Amino acid sequence: MTTHTESAVVKGLIPGGNYIFEVNAKVEDESIEGDPLNISSYTKPGKVSNLNASDPTTDSVHLQWEPPAGNISGFRVDVFNEENVNIKTLININANKTSLRVTALPPGAKLWMSVVALVPDAFVKGEPSTVMAFTSPGDVADLELVPAAYTIKVTWTAPEGNYETFSVQLNLTALEQEVEKKEQNASPLSFTGLKAGAEYTVTVTTLNGYLKSQPRNRRVFTLPVPPEPAKIDNFTESNITLSWGAPKASQGVELTYLVKYTTQFWNLTKTETVKNATTYIFHGLHAGTNYDFEVRVKAGTQESSPVTVSWMTTPNKRVLTITMKCSSSKPLSCEDNHTQSEVLSKLREHFRKEFYKKINIVFWELDWREA
């Protein structure tokens, strides 16, 4: 180029190109030239296009873009918060890399992210391309469930960062069935009108616009209530069939029952676990023995108060004969009616004391016949 001024605009260069410019003076007829001076410089790199922010988490966002035409040596990413404060800068990203997950960001934040193309000259950079982005809100902490028979109270600690509201979902665990869902701005809240002795799953999710946190959940059983009264359906010398009704407050719930018997005479206790049934047959019992039964509902680690019933197995009657031999130092003392009556009276008293202690504990009958 020839110019008669002390400046010139050089056009048609490649963006991001490294050029050496040489200038020398000439006389009017261009027959004589002065000594040249030269300077090198980069042209400004182009602007990245199609910048997109996606796949947000609580502390990261994925950026993707298309490189500009021309030469570049890398990219610079800047992150600004709502107050337009630069909170993060990443420099000298590989020129062939056009996507990046920006990490260590604040949760629940509204951010602006810009990407500029770079050349080796730190004073030359492209125009920024900017996109708005959001990080997901943080998870709740300290999720606690406090159950009663028909209610569950839910408490939690809100996360750091921004959020709008909380979604709290209640599911019947066994059926994986949603029972109720609520949205609330703060802890706590309560679910009411629940089934007693049932296991529920409570899930709490933080919401910020269309973004959601990772859900937090816990399980808990509502407190059990006693079953309907127990009764004896059948009995033999060694078996007793016990039945009861499911609590009306637990209809439709798969329940676990603890069925227990005790017998004072034999000093025995036995507990069986019955799942989702309302009858049980006790085998191997002692004949003619009174058994005390109780049935409880078990829910998690909690047990209801019991319903009770007592029943005696069919007695297996046997006759025991006692023969007594009398000897005395006094002649004819054993033949004396008074002596015989006195001995028999003491014997009767002994058996009465022993067996009267066991009234309603074991079957017995006492019949005296004097030979």
Side-chain angles (χ1 to χ4, degrees), residues 166-184:
F166 301 96
S167 172
V168 186
Q169 181 175 320
L170 179 72
N171 281 30
L172 198 57
T173 304
L175 302 178
E176 297 183 354
Q177 177 184 22
E178 182 180 314
V179 177
E180 189 175 356
K181 180 184 284 187
K182 296 182 178 182
E183 283 196 12
Q184 188 154 314

Side-chain angles (χ1 to χ4, degrees), residues 23-189:
V23 180
N24 63 301
K26 295 182 179 181
V27 296
E28 185 65 26
D29 61 2
E30 298 186 2
S31 60
I32 302 174
E33 295 183 354
D35 294 330
L37 293 176
N38 61 65
I39 188 173
S40 66
S41 179
Y42 283 89
T43 52
K44 191 174 183 178
K47 184 178 180 179
V48 302
S49 59
N50 296 327
L51 178 61
N52 179 58
S54 62
D55 193 20
T57 68
T58 56
D59 64 351
S60 70
V61 172
H62 183 261
L63 285 182
Q64 191 169 8
W65 61 89
E66 293 181 8
N71 299 323
I72 55 172
S73 62
F75 301 97
R76 189 181 84 184
V77 176
D78 291 291
V79 182
F80 301 87
N81 62 17
E82 288 189 89
E83 289 74 33
N84 201 31
V85 175
N86 189 321
I87 61 173
K88 194 176 188 68
T89 297
L90 300 172
I91 303 177
N92 290 334
I93 301 169
N94 190 319
N96 296 320
K97 187 175 182 180
T98 57
S99 66
L100 173 71
R101 177 161 290 278
V102 184
T103 59
L105 302 176
K110 181 179 182 181
L111 305 168
W112 281 265
M113 297 185 169
S114 71
V115 179
V116 298
L118 303 177
V119 291
D121 188 341
F123 296 98
V124 180
K125 60 183 179 180
E127 292 294 327
S129 181
T130 303
V131 66
M132 184 186 296
F134 296 87
T135 52
S136 300
D139 309 344
V140 301
D142 305 320
L143 178 59
E144 295 291 339
L145 308 180
V146 181
Y150 311 110
T151 64
I152 296 176
K153 182 180 180 182
V154 187
T155 61
W156 64 88
T157 301
E160 296 182 359
N162 298 323
Y163 59 88
E164 290 182 355
T165 187
F166 301 96
S167 172
V168 186
Q169 181 175 320
L170 179 72
N171 281 30
L172 198 57
T173 304
L175 302 178
E176 297 183 354
Q177 177 184 22
E178 182 180 314
V179 177
E180 189 175 356
K181 180 184 284 187
K182 296 182 178 182
E183 283 196 12
Q184 188 154 314
N185 294 330
S187 167
L189 67 76

Side-chain angles (χ1 to χ4, degrees), residues 3 7-8 23 39 42 107 178 207 210 215 217 247 255 277 353:
T3 179
S7 65
V23 180
I39 188 173
Y42 283 89
E178 182 180 314
L207 304 179
Y210 68 92
N217 61 68
L255 295 178
K353 287 181 179 179

